[in-house]
């Protein structure tokens, strides 16, 4: 019995029924079973004499059954088994409710270990429904640390524990060691069999820790190898080789000079594009750092080489805005710029599709519509995606599949802590824009509660009087929200503001509106025809209104820190002094602490690190939607040091054996292949 792919139903002791219950948990093979790690552990290792136990504590006692267990039927549906157990120190009264078989399992004169919760009444001690095992038999659920699993209907903890035990017994000594010898030794990691045994049935807490450390390392190491191999393969993949172009001509056409960080990012990307390999590069920069310009330079470079570019934005509004910005920058340089979004009419779309097919455009900007099946490109050389975290990564690859290996530039304003960027973008090269265009002022941020409402309204009045515009953001009100009456919906709040300021132009935009209507409202804001725009987070990303000098976030407790930071980036984009006011009536300590961070710093990276620390990585990324592979033991936020070690080891290993072809890496290669297959859409 050793093939890890064996179906669980053929494992000794697991029948058809249990197998079906296991399948519900995603456990199909022997490998799945032994890799189904406990959710937590219960420490049942403490053993006490009866007389020393205290009321309410859960504990093990070793005691002899002193009389024959008595079964009484109190009424229909209520059976009691009562018995008395003794040790040298005292007496324990035991009652089982509705477990008539306890009568036959426990025998007078024999000694058992009972685990349960003590009830103490003066000198008397009792337990209800304790688990029991013969004192001289094998201890699986008493006297030790016991695993607690996620279970499905038809499986009790006990059955689950048994199933895993049987699984381990079937393969423990034949589990392959995925880690190369040297790696294991250098990092002082436990052996495979030891790790699997002790992650399930730890001898003690030290053994559990050793097991965990080994398995976390292994998991992250496999991930690092997978990403490293992907990156290596791409680097060897030949792409369109572009000829150098005279960037100074491009810079000279701008209304301002590029920052050093922008120049650097462009140079790095251009050297990728000119290298003959395919570019896969992430440009990461805080809101307002000027990523669009970097994209524009590369699009121009591409056009100089006779290739077209596609620029993908996550929303209609952003596609529209990028269309305007990029047209303004690039048409004077002779580029032909088009747009393709879902909101366009069928006829408009057809025209653009024909232009694309005929190679009559140098740049097309759009949404998902860019990669629908009926769009064909002539000479697609570059794909740019903006705010990549909003796209399924699979969508990105759909567009990439359209050219012959076009270069890929991903732009993200999500200031992901650097350590995590390593994983999420592990298959990309990274340029960081760590410098804002000159003359930017700090956005003063305040956290206030309702008692400031009148002053806040006074402030709006004053700023609009000076010719500025104001954003007000309300949380999305879901229909199933428990407390909708306490949340301000954008529409209601807009009405209130209109009453408060009858002479001002108040507008409202939210996600449920038709794209055309949304665009009209945004356009009026951008044109300065709206004084106060009340919005849901549809404005979170990218929208540019340089005249806006104040953003107010209502129910700020409902937003994540990184989201607040993105929102704040909607102001301070012009020459005007700008403010961000976070309104929240929640004075929970945690909320205050969070909002305080916003008032103290404008640095997106710092904020995201705090956000991660406060919320944990699961919440931070909503796990899989960000393309993070699912981890079994490792915690991507907490195990950062291990991650770095694993990454180093993977780099070292791949340098010598880039495709893991060596026979001694066979088991590792298999694991890497499996990971890539399971996460196929994340890594493309
Ligand atoms: P983001 O990185 O958030 O996408 P944008 O590309 O939208 O930032 O740029 C933000 C604003 O800064 C835009 O109005 C843009 O015109 C301006 N900008 C970009 N680069 C520079 C620069 N080097 N000097 C001055 N202004 C710049
Ligand atoms: Mg942008």
């Amino acid at each position: 019995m050793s093939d890890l792919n064996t179906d669980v139903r053929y494992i000794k002791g697991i029948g058809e029924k249990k197998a079906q219950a296991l399948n519900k948990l995603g456990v199909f093979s022997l490998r799945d079973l032994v890799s189904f790690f406990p959710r937590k552990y219960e420490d049942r290792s403490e053993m006490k004499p009866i007389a020393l136990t205290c009321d309410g504590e859960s504990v093990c006692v070793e005691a002899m059954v002193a009389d024959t267990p008595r079964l009484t039927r109190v009424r229909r549906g209520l059976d009691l088994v009562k018995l008395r157990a003794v040790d040298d120190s005292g007496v324990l009264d035991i009652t089982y409710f509705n477990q008539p078989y306890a009568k036959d399992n426990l025998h007078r004169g024999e000694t058992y270990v009972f685990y349960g919760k003590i009830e103490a009444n003066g000198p008397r001690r009792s337990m209800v429904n304790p688990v029991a095992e013969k004192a001289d038999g094998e201890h699986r659920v008493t006297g030790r640390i016991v695993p607690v699993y996620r279970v499905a209907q038809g499986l009790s903890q006990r059955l689950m524990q048994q199933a895993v035990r049987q699984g381990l017994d079937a393969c423990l000594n034949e589990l392959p060691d995925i880690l190369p010898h040297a790696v294991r030794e250098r990092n002082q990691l436990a052996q495979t069999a030891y790790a699997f045994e002790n992650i399930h049935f730890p001898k003690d807490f030290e053994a559990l820790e050793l097991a965990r450390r080994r398995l976390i390392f292994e998991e992250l190491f496999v991930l690092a190898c997978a990403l490293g191999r992907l990156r290596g393969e791409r680097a060897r993949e030949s792409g369109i080789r572009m000829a150098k172009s005279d960037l100074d001509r491009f810079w000279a056409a701008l209304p301002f000079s590029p920052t050093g960080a922008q120049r650097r990012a462009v140079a790095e990307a251009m050297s990728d594009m000119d290298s003959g390999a395919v570019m896969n590069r992430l440009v990461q920069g805080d809101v307002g750092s000027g990523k669009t310009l970097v994209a524009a330079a590369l699009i121009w470079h591409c056009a100089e080489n006779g290739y077209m570019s596609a620029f993908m934005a996550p929303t209609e509004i952003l596609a529209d805005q990028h269309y305007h910005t990029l047209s303004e920058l690039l048409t004077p340089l002779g580029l032909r710029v088009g747009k393709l979004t879902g909101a366009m009419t069928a006829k408009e779309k057809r025209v653009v599709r024909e232009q694309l097919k005929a190679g009559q455009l140098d740049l097309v900007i759009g949404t998902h519509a860019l990669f629908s099946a009926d769009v064909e490109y002539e000479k697609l050389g570059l794909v740019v995606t903006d705010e990549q975290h909003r796209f399924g990564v699979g969508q990105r690859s759909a567009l990439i599949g359209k050219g012959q290996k076009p270069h890929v530039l991903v732009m993200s304003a999500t200031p992901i802590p650097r350590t995590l960027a390593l994983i999420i973008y592990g298959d990309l090269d990274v340029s960081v824009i760590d410098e804002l265009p000159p003359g930017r002022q700090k956005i003063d941020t305040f956290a206030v509660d309702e008692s400031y409402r009148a002053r806040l309204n006074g402030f709006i009045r004053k700023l609009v009087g000076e010719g500025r515009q104001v954003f007000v953001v309300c949380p999305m009100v879901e229909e199933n929200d428990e407390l909708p009456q306490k949340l301000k919906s954008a529409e209601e709040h807009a009405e209130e503001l209109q009453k408060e300021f009858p002479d001002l132009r108040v507008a409202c935009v939210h996600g449920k509106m038709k794209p055309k209507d949304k665009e009209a409202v945004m356009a009026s804001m951008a044109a300065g025809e709206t004084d106060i725009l009340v919005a849901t987070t549809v404005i979170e990303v990218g929208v540019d209104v340089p005249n806006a000098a104040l953003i107010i976030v209502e129910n700020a407790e409902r937003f994540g820190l990184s989201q607040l930071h993105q929102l704040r980036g909607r102001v301070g984009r012009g020459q005007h002094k700008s403010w961000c006011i976070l309104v929240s009536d929640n004075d929970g300590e945690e909320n205050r602490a969070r909002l305080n961070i916003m008032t103290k710093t404008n640095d997106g990276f710092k904020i995201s690190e705090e956000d991660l620390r406060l919320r944990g990585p699961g919440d931070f990324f909503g796990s899989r939607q960000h393309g993070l592979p699912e981890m079994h033991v490792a915690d991507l936020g907490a195990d950062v040091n291990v991650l770095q070690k694993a990454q180093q080891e993977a780099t070292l290993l791949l340098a010598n054996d880039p495709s893991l072809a060596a026979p001694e890496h066979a088991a590792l290669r298999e694991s890497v292949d499996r990971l890539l297959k399971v996460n196929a859409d994340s890594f493309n």
Side-chain angles (χ1 to χ4, degrees), residues 72-270:
T72 33
R73 165 156 285 199
V74 180
R75 54 179 153 79
R76 240 177 85 134
L78 181 58
D79 288 329
L80 294 185
V81 173
K82 285 185 173 280
L83 60 115
R84 171 164 294 207
V86 297
D87 69 4
D88 292 344
S89 74
V91 178
L92 180 67
D93 290 314
I94 293 175
T95 310
Y96 286 98
F97 287 94
N98 289 338
Q99 297 183 22
Y101 44 82
K103 176 177 180 296
D104 304 319
N105 290 346
L106 300 168
H107 305 287
R108 180 176 167 195
E110 297 212 18
T111 303
Y112 300 86
V113 177
F114 296 95
Y115 171 81
K117 194 165 162 187
I118 293 283
E119 282 170 46
N121 192 349
R124 302 191 52 170
R125 296 287 180 275
S126 55
M127 265 187 194
V128 171
N129 294 347
V131 293
E133 278 176 325
K134 272 204 166 161
D136 57 4
E138 197 180 348
H139 288 238
R140 290 195 175 146
V141 291
T142 65
R144 60 174 304 150
I145 302 164
V146 176
V148 179
Y149 296 94
R150 197 153 57 76
V151 291
Q153 186 145 59
L155 271 182
S156 64
Q157 273 309 328
R158 185 83 189 239
L159 286 177
M160 193 64 212
Q161 288 154 359
Q162 281 167 6
V164 172
R165 183 70 262 164
Q166 270 138 359
L168 285 174
D169 290 345
C171 68
L172 198 53
N173 295 316
E174 288 150 86
L175 284 170
D177 195 337
I178 294 169
L179 296 179
H181 228 54
V183 172
R184 210 185 70 219
E185 305 237 303
R186 260 198 301 277
N187 296 279
Q188 299 174 331
L189 300 168
Q191 309 226 18
T192 308
Y194 181 92
F196 274 84
E197 175 66 30
N198 282 284
I199 194 82
H200 289 289
F201 301 105
K203 192 156 56 69
D204 48 40
F205 281 104
E206 199 186 335
L208 175 58
E209 202 34 52
L210 284 173
R212 265 179 50 78
R213 217 166 68 78
R214 144 90 205 202
L215 292 167
I216 289 172
F217 189 98
E218 176 177 317
E219 187 163 44
L220 295 173
F221 181 70
V222 170
L223 177 63
C225 285
L227 294 168
R229 207 180 67 181
L230 275 183
R231 180 164 21 196
E233 278 163 9
R234 291 203 173 134
R236 285 190 302 276
E237 231 170 19
S238 57
I240 303 159
R241 187 192 292 274
M242 307 259 170
K244 296 221 171 338
S245 30
D246 177 17
L247 254 186
D248 287 337
R249 251 183 60 226
F250 178 80
W251 297 137
L254 294 180
F256 40 68
S257 38
T259 63
Q262 283 170 324
R263 275 181 192 277
R264 206 161 44 239
V266 171
E268 285 167 357
M270 275 176 70

Side-chain angles (χ1 to χ4, degrees), residues 498-547:
Q498 187 66 82
K499 271 192 209 125
E500 177 75 32
F501 303 107
D503 55 321
L504 300 187
R505 298 162 298 179
V506 179
C508 177
V509 61
H510 55 78
K512 294 204 179 90
M513 288 162 62
K514 291 209 192 86
K516 269 219 144 62
D517 299 337
K518 269 193 277 192
E519 261 168 59
V521 177
M522 290 309 302
S524 128
M525 181 72 179
E529 290 155 7
T530 295
D531 299 309
I532 304 174
L533 179 63
V534 184
T536 53
T537 46
V538 290
I539 63 152
E540 182 184 337
V541 197
V543 181
D544 205 14
V545 183
N547 189 43

Side-chain angles (χ1 to χ4, degrees), residues 256-259 262 286-293 437-438 440 544 573:
F256 40 68
S257 38
T259 63
Q262 283 170 324
D286 213 343
V287 268
S289 61
K291 293 183 289 294
T292 318
L293 189 62
R440 285 289 161 77
D544 205 14
R573 295 172 85 84

Side-chain angles (χ1 to χ4, degrees), residues 436-465:
L436 295 180
R440 285 289 161 77
Q441 306 177 35
K442 180 173 171 294
I443 301 162
D444 280 337
T445 304
F446 300 94
V448 303
D449 58 27
E450 275 305 321
S451 67
Y452 282 74
R453 183 63 65 188
R455 264 187 273 180
L456 197 51
N457 285 339
F459 192 46
I460 294 178
R461 168 67 70 194
K462 172 169 172 287
L463 283 178
V464 175

Side-chain angles (χ1 to χ4, degrees), residues 458-503:
F459 192 46
I460 294 178
R461 168 67 70 194
K462 172 169 172 287
L463 283 178
V464 175
E466 290 167 6
R468 301 289 79 73
Q469 290 163 280
V470 178
F471 282 117
V472 180
V473 180
C474 296
M476 212 101 74
V477 181
E478 303 288 345
E479 266 153 39
N480 56 2
D481 245 316
E482 306 115 60
L483 305 164
Q485 69 279 12
K486 284 187 73 181
L487 293 175
K488 289 186 191 297
S489 86
E491 278 165 307
E492 285 162 12
H493 193 54
E495 275 170 36
E496 276 171 40
L497 282 170
Q498 187 66 82
K499 271 192 209 125
E500 177 75 32
F501 303 107
D503 55 321

